[in-house]
């Protein structure tokens, strides 16, 4: 069984047990990661409601191996995999196995642990967006939110093609978080995070042990 097949089988189990589908995520979509792993497009994982946390929440990292935070753009999917809206998103991932085997990464849902989704805004041109994230004493800026992710419309199209090839479907109303707009930040208990995606909104988190 391929990594994606194993991942989607786990998703079906979660949905059968009562979880609600939220959407999808991509990872390892930066030019450096694609080249290092020999990929033609980013890896695709799933999002369900049991992974959602609220803006402003305190999130425990207890038991995690290598916690990583990624400020992202959330894309709400419209008809025929179009972009119907945009917003801020934060993903928390745990790099609990070495990031060197795409099939293993896929089977483990691309390290996904938690996601925070901001308010859905209009489908602005990505060039109109800019990002600022502060975490502890670290600050990172992105004037081009597609520099590491690739074009948002192409990310959504890639997710749709990947799912179609696996017998799944990208559905209208789902959310795709499109990859980190800055290099991922390694985080630890005690960190306070603020992510502003201008002009769409701000998200905050506190990380605890």
């Amino acid at each position: 069984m391929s990594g994606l097949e194993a991942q989607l089988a786990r998703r079906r189990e979660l949905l059968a047990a009562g979880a609600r589908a939220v959407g999808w995520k991509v990872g390892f979509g930066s030019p450096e990661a694609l080249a290092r792993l020999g990929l033609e497009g980013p890896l695709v994982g799933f999002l369900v409601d049991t992974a959602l946390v609220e803006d402003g929440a305190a999130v425990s990292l207890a038991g995690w191996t290598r916690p990583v935070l990624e400020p992202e753009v959330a894309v709400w999917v419209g008809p025929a995999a179009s972009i119907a809206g945009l917003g801020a998103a934060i993903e928390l991932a745990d790099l609990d196995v070495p990031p060197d085997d795409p099939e293993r990464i896929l089977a483990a849902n691309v390290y996904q642990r938690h996601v925070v989704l901001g308010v859905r805004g209009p489908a602005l041109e990505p060039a109109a967006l800019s990002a600022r994230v502060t975490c502890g004493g670290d600050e990172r800026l992105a004037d081009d939110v597609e520099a590491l992710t690739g074009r948002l419309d192409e990310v959504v199209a890639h997710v749709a093609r990947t799912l179609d090839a696996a017998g799944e479907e990208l559905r209208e109303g789902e959310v795709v978080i499109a990859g980190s707009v800055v290099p991922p930040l390694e985080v630890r208990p005690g960190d306070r995070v603020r992510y502003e995606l201008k002009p769409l909104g701000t998200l905050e988190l506190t990380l605890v042990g």
Side-chain angles (χ1 to χ4, degrees):
M1 177 181 288
S2 74
L4 184 57
E5 288 174 334
Q7 178 203 123
L8 294 176
R10 176 57 179 160
R11 177 178 181 268
R12 288 191 293 271
E13 291 174 358
L14 292 172
L15 297 180
R20 179 177 61 83
V22 172
W24 306 89
K25 60 159 286 180
V26 298
F28 299 90
S30 70
E32 182 276 332
L34 293 172
R36 177 168 55 83
L37 293 176
L39 301 173
E40 294 183 359
L43 301 178
V44 176
F46 67 82
L47 304 173
V48 292
D49 64 335
T50 52
L52 292 173
V53 295
E54 295 293 326
D55 179 25
V59 179
S60 174
L61 303 179
W64 293 33
T65 301
R66 187 182 168 192
V68 170
L69 180 141
E70 298 186 347
E72 309 199 16
V73 178
V75 180
W76 275 264
V77 179
S82 62
I83 295 178
L86 299 175
I90 293 174
E91 183 180 20
L92 287 169
D94 184 15
L95 303 188
D96 55 352
V97 298
D100 56 10
D101 182 346
E103 293 300 331
R104 188 178 182 187
I105 295 168
L106 279 168
N109 199 26
V110 199
Y111 300 117
Q112 212 289 312
R113 294 296 181 270
H114 294 300
V115 62
V116 187
L117 295 176
V119 175
R120 172 177 169 172
L124 301 176
E125 287 295 323
L129 307 179
S130 64
R132 176 176 181 266
V133 57
T134 56
C135 179
D138 193 6
E139 177 181 82
R140 299 187 187 183
L141 305 173
D143 291 327
D144 179 0
V145 300
E146 296 180 311
L148 295 182
T149 65
R151 285 178 44 176
L152 297 181
D153 58 346
E154 292 180 356
V155 171
V156 174
H158 171 74
V159 172
R161 288 193 302 270
T162 300
L163 295 178
D164 183 66
E168 187 50 77
E169 179 185 0
L170 179 62
R171 294 172 172 83
E172 183 176 353
E174 291 184 322
V175 176
V176 173
I177 58 171
S180 191
V181 300
V182 300
L185 294 90
E186 294 199 21
V187 291
R188 60 185 183 274
D191 284 341
R192 294 179 180 271
V193 180
R194 187 175 191 273
Y195 169 41
E196 183 178 12
L197 182 64
K198 294 181 179 179
L200 295 175
T202 300
L203 298 173
E204 297 185 352
L205 281 180
T206 301
L207 305 175
V208 299

